[in-house]
């Protein structure tokens, strides 16, 4: 099995707000165009994080998903503000391969069971935002703004048992720092569950990707800003990993 | 025209778009007459084996599919479209009969590996049909499945893939190519396979 490199695009009202400044883009704000560039750059999967504030503009994301599914030929996940089965069904029918749940999974854990029973574990990802507090990691919701009285390792075990197929694990301590992933967190969660864990938050160097896989024991790495300014390409990252004995798709 | 059979088991747009991308006319069809009129037939499908068989039966196209295959029309099975060619599946509490074009079973992964087997894994070629043209040994394809086929006739195996142990990840015999992985999600190598099939179906 190949370890995966997964670029993440933040999208609001159908426009990319945090993505990559590729050259030769006709419209740098178009998520579909960015997705295509990433596919051509050998990304293994993609994540769209919909940060649209108002839910009455949700249909815009559906259109993005539909157009993306018709344009790229790698799997992609959609997350952000998804709270019910009807929305999950709509997004999957529009062509998303996986759905990522975060706040709604904490608020209504049965949503994990219901959605994985209905659509299969393989398409239900649970995103966990974790922050070191006192002597353990606790779960945050609402885009990392609200602390919960919930231990991240215990929550990871629970979401697996409820039917999640994958965990997207973001370290809030490291997010945006570029000093590397929180591999103590990654290891704690990866060894607590059997489902794949995607590391997120803190990548600033290619060595950080290797560390998340080798030390953090994760199956995939989510990257946002690492490829932002074209300093590294995904191919360079994959060659770097391959040269260190990691199986990657090249 | 390539007919992609829609029997309510998953989104088929990616498969259709994949064929279009490599220059072939592919249509998502449900009617018997459309399947019969096509130059090639694609049977995709994700989900539960028993639900898939039930849907095919309710759509009244089981005989049509078998007839088209036996008549020698190029056929591509994807995921459940591979599994259903075999005698039966062990998915669920009772054995569910398949189309039984090949003797053999569909069984669940055993051992310590994570199930479903999900992600990019390699094809190790045992036989090369024309559908494999230009796809190097060891190429990565995208998999999402918990069950795999165990053919009684080992000579139909096109590729093996290792997931804890080697399993049959695709088969080929005469006009039939059937794969466990998803060419429509396997980027350029996947498109290559669709292109090869499209050429066979011309």
């Amino acid at each position: 099995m190949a370890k995966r490199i997964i670029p993440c695009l933040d999208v609001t009202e159908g426009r990319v707000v945090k993505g990559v400044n590729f050259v030769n883009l006709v419209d740098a704000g178009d998520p579909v165009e960015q997705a295509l560039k990433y596919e051509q750059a050998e990304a293994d999967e993609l994540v769209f994080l919909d940060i649209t504030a108002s839910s009455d503009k949700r249909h815009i994301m559906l259109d993005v998903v539909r157009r993306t599914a018709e344009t790229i030929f790698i799997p992609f996940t959609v997350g952000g503000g998804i709270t019910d089965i009807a929305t999950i069904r709509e997004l999957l029918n529009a062509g998303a391969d996986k759905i990522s749940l975060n706040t709604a999974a904490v608020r209504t854990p049965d949503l994990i069971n219901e959605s994985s029973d209905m659509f299969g574990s393989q398409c239900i990802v649970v995103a966990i935002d974790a922050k070191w507090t006192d002597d353990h990691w606790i779960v945050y919701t609402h885009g990392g703004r609200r602390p919960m009285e919930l231990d991240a390792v215990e929550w990871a075990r629970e979401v697996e048992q409820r039917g999640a197929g994958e965990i997207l694990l973001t370290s809030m301590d490291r997010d945006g720092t570029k000093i590397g992933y929180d591999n103590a967190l990654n290891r704690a969660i990866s060894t607590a569950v059997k489902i794949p864990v995607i590391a997120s938050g803190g990548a600033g160097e290619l060595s950080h990707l290797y560390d998340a896989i080798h030390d953090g024991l994760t199956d995939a790495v989510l990257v946002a800003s690492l490829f932002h300014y074209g300093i590294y390409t995904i191919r360079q990252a994959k060659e770097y990993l391959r040269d260190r004995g990691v199986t990657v798709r090249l | 025209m390539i007919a992609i059979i829609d029997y309510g088991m998953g989104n088929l747009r990616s498969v259709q778009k994949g064929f279009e991308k490599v220059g072939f006319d592919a249509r998502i069809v449900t009617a018997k007459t459309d399947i019969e009129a096509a130059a090639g037939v694609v049977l995709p499908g994700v989900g539960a084996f028993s639900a898939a068989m039930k849907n095919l039966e309710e759509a009244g196209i089981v005989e049509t599919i078998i007839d088209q295959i036996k008549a020698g029309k190029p056929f591509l099975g994807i995921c459940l479209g591979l599994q259903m060619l075999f005698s039966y599946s062990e998915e669920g509490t009772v054995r569910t009969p398949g189309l039984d074009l090949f003797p053999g079973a569909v069984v669940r992964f055993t051992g310590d590996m994570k199930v479903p087997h999900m992600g990019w894994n390699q094809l190790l070629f045992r036989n090369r049909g024309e559908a494999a043209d230009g796809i190097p040994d060891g190429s990565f394809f995208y998999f999402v499945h918990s069950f795999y086929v165990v053919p009684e006739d080992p000579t139909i195996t096109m590729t093996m893939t290792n997931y804890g142990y080697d399993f049959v990840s695709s088969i080929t015999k005469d006009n039939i190519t059937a794969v466990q992985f998803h060419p429509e999600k396997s980027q350029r190598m996947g498109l290559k396979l669709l292109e090869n099939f499209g050429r066979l179906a011309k």
Side-chain angles (χ1 to χ4, degrees):
Chain A
M1 289 285 278
K3 299 293 181 183
R4 293 167 283 158
I5 294 185
I6 308 175
C8 179
L9 293 167
D10 287 0
V11 177
T12 183
E13 294 182 24
R15 305 287 294 171
V16 176
V17 288
K18 198 168 131 193
V20 167
N21 296 325
F22 286 110
V23 287
N24 303 326
L25 283 189
V26 175
D27 175 3
D30 178 20
V32 181
E33 206 180 344
Q34 290 240 353
L36 182 59
K37 281 284 178 187
Y38 269 126
E39 189 216 36
Q40 289 163 349
E42 305 283 315
D44 296 310
E45 290 183 29
L46 283 180
V47 170
F48 286 115
L49 186 60
D50 184 10
I51 55 173
T52 305
S54 67
S55 56
D56 60 343
K57 289 183 173 155
R58 181 68 65 185
H59 64 278
I60 301 172
M61 195 62 198
L62 271 178
D63 179 58
V64 168
V65 169
R66 210 168 285 125
R67 288 191 296 125
T68 302
E70 292 180 354
T71 308
I72 68 168
F73 298 97
I74 56 173
F76 69 99
T77 302
V78 179
I82 299 163
T83 58
D84 57 78
I85 291 283
T87 305
I88 295 172
R89 179 180 288 116
E90 271 185 327
L91 289 164
L92 291 174
N93 283 343
D97 296 281
K98 309 180 199 181
I99 297 304
S100 172
L101 302 170
N102 192 336
T103 301
V106 176
R107 193 191 290 139
T108 318
D110 282 346
L111 184 62
I112 306 169
N113 306 61
E114 284 166 28
S115 57
S116 61
D117 283 350
M118 202 166 291
F119 308 111
S121 284
Q122 78 286 345
C123 58
I124 304 300
V125 180
V126 172
I128 301 178
D129 294 344
K131 188 174 167 60
W132 183 255
T133 309
D134 300 326
D135 59 350
H136 67 151
W137 289 281
I138 64 164
V139 175
Y140 273 65
T141 60
H142 296 83
R145 292 190 302 275
R146 199 172 297 179
M148 295 285 117
E149 284 181 24
L150 188 58
D151 178 82
V153 177
E154 281 173 24
W155 176 234
R157 284 201 190 96
E158 183 175 340
V159 306
E160 175 185 40
Q161 182 250 321
R162 285 178 177 277
E166 207 160 40
I167 290 172
L168 170 53
L169 179 63
T170 301
S171 162
M172 293 180 48
D173 300 295
R174 298 298 180 93
D175 204 21
T177 64
K178 299 193 170 115
I179 60 170
Y181 296 95
D182 183 346
N183 291 316
L185 170 66
N186 289 335
R187 205 163 44 243
I189 302 281
S190 290
T191 52
V193 298
K194 281 186 139 183
I195 53 179
V197 175
I198 305 165
S200 163
E205 292 294 331
L206 296 185
S207 62
H208 296 156
L209 307 181
Y210 176 78
D211 293 343
I213 291 162
H214 186 262
D215 302 333
L217 307 176
T218 57
D219 300 275
V221 286
L222 194 83
V223 284
S225 59
L226 183 62
F227 303 125
H228 224 102
Y229 303 106
I231 299 166
Y232 300 112
T233 62
I234 296 175
R235 183 162 194 98
Q236 282 174 311
K238 287 190 171 183
E239 284 169 354
Y240 179 93
L241 293 173
R242 183 196 56 194
D243 291 347
R244 281 153 189 80
V246 177
T247 303
V248 289
R249 181 180 69 103
L250 262 174
Chain B
M1 186 267 285
I2 295 165
I4 302 165
I5 302 175
D6 182 5
Y7 57 109
M9 298 303 287
N11 188 317
L12 311 179
R13 279 294 275 164
S14 301
V15 180
Q16 183 189 27
K17 280 291 176 184
F19 278 115
E20 287 175 2
K21 174 107 177 170
V22 291
F24 294 94
D25 176 24
R27 293 187 205 151
I28 297 170
V29 306
T30 52
K32 207 177 265 194
T33 47
D34 289 332
I35 298 170
E36 287 165 352
V41 172
V42 181
L43 183 63
V46 293
F49 187 98
S50 56
M53 282 302 299
K54 186 162 159 268
N55 285 8
L56 279 187
E57 277 154 20
E58 280 173 3
I61 52 173
V62 170
E63 291 307 317
T64 312
I65 293 168
I66 292 173
D67 289 349
Q68 295 299 308
I69 291 174
K70 287 191 170 162
K73 188 174 283 184
F75 174 90
L76 175 64
I78 300 173
C79 200
L80 283 175
L82 159 70
Q83 296 181 3
M84 287 191 295
L85 301 180
F86 285 80
S87 312
Y88 65 90
S89 171
E90 293 182 355
E91 185 172 343
T93 47
V94 292
R95 282 185 176 184
T96 307
L99 300 174
D100 201 24
L101 287 159
F102 295 110
V106 181
V107 303
R108 191 180 167 87
F109 279 109
T110 54
D112 294 337
M113 306 301 284
K114 293 168 183 176
V115 176
H117 169 225
M118 178 168 66
W120 295 88
N121 209 338
Q122 286 173 291
L123 305 188
L124 311 166
F125 279 94
R126 294 291 184 266
N127 278 300
R128 278 192 164 273
E130 284 172 84
D133 278 358
I135 300 173
D137 198 38
S139 293
F140 283 90
F141 279 73
Y142 191 75
F143 289 82
V144 186
H145 64 123
S146 301
F147 290 77
Y148 60 92
V149 298
V150 184
E152 277 178 22
D153 175 5
T155 65
I156 66 171
T157 300
M158 181 161 80
T159 63
M160 305 290 286
T161 293
N162 187 278
Y163 190 58
Y165 48 87
D166 289 350
F167 69 93
V168 174
S169 53
S170 67
I171 62 159
T172 180
K173 186 168 199 268
D174 305 327
N175 54 315
I176 301 173
T177 304
V179 300
Q180 183 59 66
F181 47 82
H182 290 271
E184 76 282 12
K185 291 288 166 185
S186 299
Q187 214 217 355
R188 60 182 195 286
M189 282 302 148
L191 293 177
K192 184 76 201 161
L193 190 138
L194 295 182
E195 185 187 345
N196 291 341
F197 178 77
R199 230 177 19 244
L200 291 172
K202 263 220 152 145

